[in-house]
Amino acid sequence: MRLIGTANHGYSPYAIEELRRLMGGGSFTQLAAGEVFLVETTLDKQQLAGLIAANPPIFLRHIQPVDEVLELEGNESDLASLTKAVQNLAGSLAGRKAAVHVRKSAKTSYPYSPADSRTIVDEILTAAGAEIVRQQPDNIIAIYAADSRMYIGVGTPEEMLSDWPGGAIRFQKEEGQISRAKFKLLEAERVFGLDLSAYRSALDIGAAPGAGLRCCWNGDFM
């Protein structure tokens, strides 16, 4: 089985070591320095999912299955190849809520933007009977272009560890927002299934420069 792993920038060596120990080996190739890498393992999807469920990773934030690999030409033929590959996979998404994630490395020969590619894939999936959604999909078709290859795979948000492209949760800054610490709290709520409105007290732990870490418990605010 092949898959693509993603970590926060600079942390892929730690994510690779996590997977190496978890899987008892495997082959790893960097696709985007310090962040994205290709994994080849003898484990199947179910075996890997079981290992990860029993040992949640710390540094690995996203997994993309690899069902199709396209050789890129750097011209309009790449879009035709992508269209054909997605058509081959679209049948499994009929009647399902589907999201489309498209990413590309800085050093890829793929000439089209993620937005343009996503529009094409959305049309193919809709024609196949899938419902295109941006949140809470049943399945995700993930596309990653790096160097002279494009990697395409289909999986569930649970299999991919996240329903955000590359696992990076993004929030929009609101007017009057003081710092990005709010984003950390929102992400913690989402990732750990918390309801911070149920707490009345908080402990702010941090050091400059930084926004700090807030821990909450029931009681009076401090």
Side-chain angles (χ1 to χ4, degrees), residues 81-133:
S81 298
L82 173 61
T83 298
K84 183 176 180 180
V86 172
Q87 287 172 338
N88 292 337
L89 298 171
S92 64
L93 301 178
R96 309 281 289 172
K97 293 181 179 179
V100 178
H101 295 173
V102 183
R103 298 184 293 153
K104 55 188 291 188
S105 72
K107 296 181 179 180
T108 179
S109 58
Y110 183 63
Y112 297 95
S113 71
D116 289 341
S117 304
R118 190 166 52 247
T119 297
I120 296 295
V121 176
D122 283 353
E123 292 174 354
I124 296 170
L125 296 182
T126 299
E131 177 188 353
I132 303 301
V133 298

Side-chain angles (χ1 to χ4, degrees), residues 69-87 109-112 117 120 124 148-150 152:
V69 180
L70 306 180
E71 296 294 332
L72 298 174
E73 301 292 337
N75 54 43
E76 64 276 3
S77 67
D78 293 336
L79 202 56
S81 298
L82 173 61
T83 298
K84 183 176 180 180
V86 172
Q87 287 172 338
S109 58
Y110 183 63
Y112 297 95
S117 304
I120 296 295
I124 296 170
S148 61
R149 290 191 176 124
M150 175 178 283
I152 306 170

Side-chain angles (χ1 to χ4, degrees), residues 54-202:
N55 305 273
I58 297 173
F59 298 102
L60 181 69
R61 77 180 188 212
H62 188 266
I63 290 175
Q64 175 188 322
V66 177
D67 299 311
E68 296 265 1
V69 180
L70 306 180
E71 296 294 332
L72 298 174
E73 301 292 337
N75 54 43
E76 64 276 3
S77 67
D78 293 336
L79 202 56
S81 298
L82 173 61
T83 298
K84 183 176 180 180
V86 172
Q87 287 172 338
N88 292 337
L89 298 171
S92 64
L93 301 178
R96 309 281 289 172
K97 293 181 179 179
V100 178
H101 295 173
V102 183
R103 298 184 293 153
K104 55 188 291 188
S105 72
K107 296 181 179 180
T108 179
S109 58
Y110 183 63
Y112 297 95
S113 71
D116 289 341
S117 304
R118 190 166 52 247
T119 297
I120 296 295
V121 176
D122 283 353
E123 292 174 354
I124 296 170
L125 296 182
T126 299
E131 177 188 353
I132 303 301
V133 298
R134 295 292 177 246
Q135 295 182 339
Q136 298 182 325
D138 299 318
N139 294 90
I140 300 168
I141 182 162
I143 299 163
Y144 183 71
D147 298 321
S148 61
R149 290 191 176 124
M150 175 178 283
Y151 304 88
I152 306 170
V154 177
T156 66
E158 292 74 23
E159 290 169 340
M160 294 188 180
L161 305 182
S162 173
D163 59 358
W164 289 75
I169 299 178
R170 304 185 187 280
F171 299 101
Q172 185 174 356
K173 190 172 182 179
E174 300 174 355
E175 184 177 353
Q177 184 174 321
I178 297 174
S179 77
R180 60 188 178 88
K182 179 179 180 178
F183 297 154
K184 297 179 182 179
L185 294 174
L186 289 172
E187 183 171 353
E189 278 192 305
R190 182 185 178 98
V191 172
F192 299 111
L194 302 175
D195 178 10
L196 297 183
S197 66
Y199 296 86
R200 296 176 53 211
S201 300

